Amino acid sequence: MRPFSNRAATPTAAERVRSILAAAHSMTVVSDGQHTEVRRLDGTGAMGHFHLHAPFEGPEAQTATRVPVRLELTDIAPTAVRDRLRARVTVTGLLIEPYSPQATTSTCMEFGQAVLEDAQGRTYVTLHALGAADVDPIATSEAGMLTHFVDDHCEFVPLLLRLVHPQPDSGMLRALPVAMDRYGVTLRLEYPHTHHDVRLPFKTPVTDIEQAGPQIHALLATARRISHTGHLLT
């Protein structure tokens, strides 16, 4: 068995943007000089309020009036880790008519660009890449699963730390799960003046939310085997 490390598989930028759009509970809509806070997205995510399409083409596209719009979303860790901001997503485009917070149907938005900003920097995501990416099957359940893990099963965190290679040194203050996606769990290791994240990959990517529990139990089982042997099996 190979040691776990930060090089474990991670979602693509397009997958992360799709998942953040799907799981968001709120967003800011900036259009026509107005900032509108849209809260309680009712489980539909941002794309329940806006549907994206390719830029219009043809002669009418040159003459039709368009209203610039920007959607701003933040991805916040559900657990009480240091520096809870995981990412920012900005989607820009054009509207056929001014945005109305009272609209009862989704607003048609001509796609401009999507930008993901996180600890790795800034990544631009195309409409084609967004369309080809799947929403992570864990995305809308992640917050509840991680808070349940911390609140009711915090004794599992030291066990999972046995999977980290190299092992954290004695200066570590604490470790908490900061994220979970179809590829695995991310632990945040906090030190007096810094922190870093380590990925614990699942054996296979999750394709359905029902697979998440068994994958976590498989990680714990591996950690228990390590506690008995004292080293990672190869």
Side-chain angles (χ1 to χ4, degrees):
M1 182 177 296
R2 291 178 300 173
F4 295 97
S5 73
N6 290 333
R7 295 187 296 276
T10 58
T12 66
E15 288 174 329
R16 290 192 66 195
V17 171
R18 279 293 304 272
S19 298
I20 291 170
L21 292 176
H25 294 288
S26 64
M27 65 179 169
T28 301
V29 180
V30 183
S31 183
D32 204 22
Q34 301 294 318
H35 287 65
T36 304
E37 298 296 327
V38 182
R39 305 185 186 278
R40 297 187 181 89
L41 295 181
D42 302 324
T44 62
M47 294 303 91
H49 291 254
F50 289 86
H51 59 275
L52 307 177
H53 61 80
F56 291 118
E57 298 179 354
E60 26 327 301
Q62 305 300 321
T63 58
T65 301
R66 298 284 187 271
V67 181
V69 64
R70 183 171 74 250
L71 312 182
E72 300 175 346
L73 304 96
T74 55
D75 178 30
I76 305 294
T79 52
V81 295
R82 181 188 296 164
D83 188 10
R84 294 179 63 192
L85 178 62
R86 299 189 299 195
R88 298 182 189 274
V89 168
T90 305
V91 183
T92 59
L94 299 171
L95 304 179
I96 297 175
E97 56 187 16
Y99 172 69
S100 172
Q102 287 75 42
T104 56
T105 59
S106 63
T107 301
C108 182
M109 179 176 173
E110 183 178 336
F111 181 85
Q113 69 178 16
V115 182
L116 173 71
E117 296 178 89
D118 60 11
Q120 282 66 54
R122 178 179 298 175
T123 306
Y124 293 87
V125 178
T126 66
L127 183 60
H128 175 76
L130 278 182
D134 292 325
V135 174
D136 193 296
I138 293 177
T140 57
S141 302
E142 180 203 18
M145 294 177 72
L146 288 186
T147 53
H148 171 71
F149 190 95
V150 171
D151 293 342
D152 299 326
H153 302 288
C154 60
E155 71 278 8
F156 289 154
V157 175
L159 189 58
L160 290 176
L161 282 174
R162 294 181 180 274
L163 301 175
V164 176
H165 183 79
Q167 280 284 285
D169 61 45
S170 59
M172 187 185 73
L173 300 177
R174 66 172 184 172
L176 286 173
V178 67
M180 181 164 60
D181 54 62
R182 65 185 303 180
Y183 300 104
V185 178
T186 300
L187 297 180
R188 176 155 294 172
L189 313 184
E190 297 183 355
Y191 294 87
H193 304 294
T194 187
H195 63 265
H196 72 270
D197 297 343
V198 62
R199 299 275 297 174
L200 305 181
F202 295 142
K203 185 175 181 180
T204 57
V206 169
T207 58
D208 183 273
I209 186 61
E210 298 300 324
Q211 300 170 1
Q215 291 279 22
I216 293 172
H217 286 297
L219 285 176
L220 293 170
T222 301
R224 290 189 183 97
R225 289 198 297 272
I226 293 169
S227 68
H228 291 303
T229 63
H231 58 83
L232 283 173
L233 303 177
T234 56

